[in-house]
Every structure is written in C-alpha cells, then in structure tokens.
Amino acid sequence: MVTVLDSRRRFLKSTAALCVPLVGLSSPRVWGAVRELPALEEVKFDRSEPGLARAALLAAPASVNIDGKLVKAITYNNAFPGPLMRWREGETVQLKLINRLDRDTNLHFHGVSLPPTGRADNIWLHVPPGDTFDYEFTVPKGEGGLHWYHPHINGATAQPMFAGLAGPILIEGDYEFERELDCDDRVCVLKDISLEGGKVQPHRASEWTVGKEGELLLINGVSRPTIRAKKSLVRLRLLNASNARYWRLRFSDDRPMIVLAHDGRYLRAPQPVDEVLLVPGARAEILVELSDGRPVDVVYHPTGRRGMAYTATQSIMTLAPPSVLTATRMPSHLVSYDPFRIAEAQADREVVLGLFNICTRFLEEARVDIRTQVNAKEIWRVRNADFMDHPFHLHTWHYEILDINGQPPPYSARYDMTNVRVGFTVRIGIHFKQHTGRTMYHCHLAEHSDKGMMAVLEVV
Ligand code: C2O
Ligand code: CU
C-alpha cells in the first residue's frame, strides 16, 4: 500500500528530477503527475527456524490509498493490492489466515502445484468470520515463478476479490539463467477498479453476466506509473488480478516483448512477441530492452471479447531508461521440460463452455464431473459454445496448448489460464502428476465462476 505521505514525497522527488529537462508545455505527457511504480507491500515471513517460513495474513476491511484517494476496500494485511508473498522452493510455509470479514473466506494458491487437500490448496474448506485457519505445506521444487492467491468460496468470490482480496506470490526458483540475468526486476499487479462514494463500487446486475470491469486501470494500486529503470534491461513480472478485464499489452514502439514465462512456468528459450494477452488470472514475465536510451510506454489495447463495454487504447505505464546505459545480455536457454506427447494420452475429453455452465451443468460441489488417475496423461478439447469469450483455468496442474482450432500455437509453453474464444476449440495436454484429491476447472471471469461456471475434477 502507498501511504499518502509516501506518494507525495515520491511525487515531489519525481517532478524535481524530471520536469525541467524533459517537458515543453505542449508535451502530451503530464510530467507533473509522474508517479514511480510503487513497490508492493510484502508479507513478512519469520524464517528464524531453518526450512520454515511463518506468517499471518489478515483478511479485513480497511481504508487504503487507491490511486491517490482514501477508499474503503477489502484487504489482506491492510494493503491494496494484496501484499506480495515470497516463498522459496523446498521450504515449509505456515500461513495463518485470520478472517475479520463478515463472511466466510479461504485461500486458493493459484498456479502453485500443491495438494488440493488438507492444509494446502484446499478450496473446499471455509473459514467463518472471526475464525482462523493454519495453512501448512511444502513449496515443491520447480515452482519458481509468479503465482497468486485469492479467496475461493463457491458463489461468493467475485465481490470481495473485486474489492481487493488478491495478491501475488513470487516463488524464488533455482534457475541457472537467473544467475546471469542482470536486470531491474519488478512485480506488477494489474487490477482494475471502480470507486464510488469513498468505497469500491458494488456489482450492478448486468455485470454478473459480462463480468465486472473497473474504469481505473491500476498497476500496483496507481494509474499510469513510471518505472525509472535502474538497469538497461527490465524484467516485468505481470499478474492480471482483475475479475474480468482482459489486458492486451503492446509497446508504444516496435521493440519486442521478450517472454520468459507464462503462468509461472518458464519457456525453453526467450520468445520475442508483439503483444501479450493477459486474461483474468494469467501471469507473464517479459524482458524489456532499454539499452538504446529511448523511453517506451506499455499500451493497453481493447480485446474484442464479446459482451464487454469498450475501453479505449491507452498508455498504462512508462519505462524510462537508466541514466547510465549498458549493453544487455539475453539468456539463450531458460529451462528444459518434457513435451506432452499426444500418442501417450490415455483419454480424450470434450469440455464445453456455455453461459455460466460447463457441459451444460452448473457447479455442484458434491458431484464429480471428471474422475481420473494420478499420473494420467489426457487431452481435453475445450470448446466455447457460448456468445462470449471465457478464460479457462485448471487448478493444480499446468497444461500445454496442443492446438487452437487445429492450428499449433506459435511456441511451446505451459499454462494454467487460456482464453477460449467464441466458437473456438483449444486442445490442451495435461499430465496429472503427483497429487490426488478433488479440485476444480472453471472459467476465471470471477462473476461466471460465482454463477456456477465451474466443475469438479477428482484425481484418485
Ligand atoms: Cu484463481 Cu479456481 O482460481
Ligand atoms: Cu466465463
């Protein structure tokens, strides 16, 4: 969270540093309003016992500074957006969730491959108001990357999540390429919001169908921040923590976005692209070259997903090069992983997305929609038979996209989120490694999941 005092100090510093040399009055950029991208609040873990990381997470209403205004929101540890949790591979996390809300809550550790049972990524348990719950699990190897956490209460997630209950998890990995990567490393939480009378705007009836978007496009709680880079290479770790907004991002000039990871999983090699599309719940890590000394904007572009109000193309963040430019080095190899082999698939299933339903059924927690065996390899054909796009999420296991309407994807990657466009079929390959138990697959438009667009998967 940014306190009022902090942002004022930052404001004074940035105007002093920037306005004289760079601006003429005709400049379209309002330099007087330059705001440095705030660093996220962090959950402070006690690591005094080796191998253990202990902390508490308080879910409670709080007044926070959102884009320069004092607003009543729903928060974790009184921060907006939710504070960053840093975990390390191999350590045991003990996290006490304290519920001071007026409703049940719980935690989903989105993207992290944890058991969906017990004290781990158990979305079935409810923590009643005034109660606490002690989560405890070991962070598996190979999970290094950007993930996130949010509540996961059947039928009652969208409102508290829109009002602030969402935060990033950054797992420190043990990757060869990171040791050589000399960059300015930033976590950016993309979260839109609407404010009304000093509060977060409540849902309107129509938003339960199309999803609730906010007109303020915030990054780490502020609009249009600037990163004054400390290095000539910047690593942006982007999380879309919005309920419904699709963030399609491009640069304002022709430099590429160099993708390192999708959904917390690294690619085999850096992949230059023109744009990244972050659907709700998705993450991406990209590298940005600033060694030529030119500033560049990150530009939001509307997506033609049906049903939504139109948001104009707009710059949402500026990257300013460092004062001392250096030559940058790009890693050539990131990680290795086995490709999904279609010939090894033991099942081929169709998953049909309809309006608020999956395979024409609304969620029933007691019903198992798909049952499979641990270590099975399966192909799912996720087909959108509805009139709007839906972002598809599978808990616990990442998947590879095999093809989209029969066309192979431009490069190999592993995902836990993917957009399924109207009339499209996305074929995914899943290896149900390691974990057993009941978990879920669903549309991640929070309003759609609340309306029942979720289904139960059981791995035995
Ligand atoms: Cu991020 Cu089942 O959700
Ligand atoms: Cu949906």
Side-chain angles (χ1 to χ4, degrees), residues 192 213-215 217 245 300-303 308-314:
D192 60 348
E213 295 187 343
E215 78 281 357
L217 306 190
R245 182 175 292 282
Y300 170 94
H301 287 261
T303 313
M308 278 319 302
Y310 179 80
T311 302
T313 299
Q314 57 192 281

Side-chain angles (χ1 to χ4, degrees), residues 108 110 148 150 152 393 395 442 444:
H108 170 42
H110 179 136
W148 66 302
H150 61 78
H152 210 292
H393 176 45
H395 284 211
H442 60 90
H444 214 293

Side-chain angles (χ1 to χ4, degrees), residues 246 248 277 300-308 310 387-389 419 421-422:
Y246 284 36
R248 182 159 75 92
L277 171 63
Y300 170 94
H301 287 261
T303 313
R305 83 174 182 88
R306 316 262 175 103
M308 278 319 302
Y310 179 80
F387 63 87
M388 56 181 136
D389 293 4
N419 188 37
R421 298 185 59 194
V422 174

Side-chain angles (χ1 to χ4, degrees), residues 99-157:
N99 183 4
R100 297 245 178 83
L101 305 171
D102 57 3
R103 66 194 90 190
D104 287 8
T105 196
N106 63 5
L107 289 171
H108 170 42
F109 305 106
H110 179 136
V112 191
S113 184
L114 293 170
T117 51
R119 297 183 174 275
D121 188 27
N122 185 344
I123 52 152
W124 305 101
L125 64 88
H126 285 207
V127 186
D131 223 335
T132 66
F133 186 80
D134 293 299
Y135 288 91
E136 179 169 352
F137 45 83
T138 298
V139 182
K141 298 273 181 209
E143 293 297 306
L146 182 63
H147 305 283
W148 66 302
Y149 61 98
H150 61 78
H152 210 292
I153 299 286
N154 179 17
T157 297

Side-chain angles (χ1 to χ4, degrees), residues 390-391 443 445 448 453:
H390 297 282
C443 173
L445 234 85
H448 291 181
M453 198 168 174

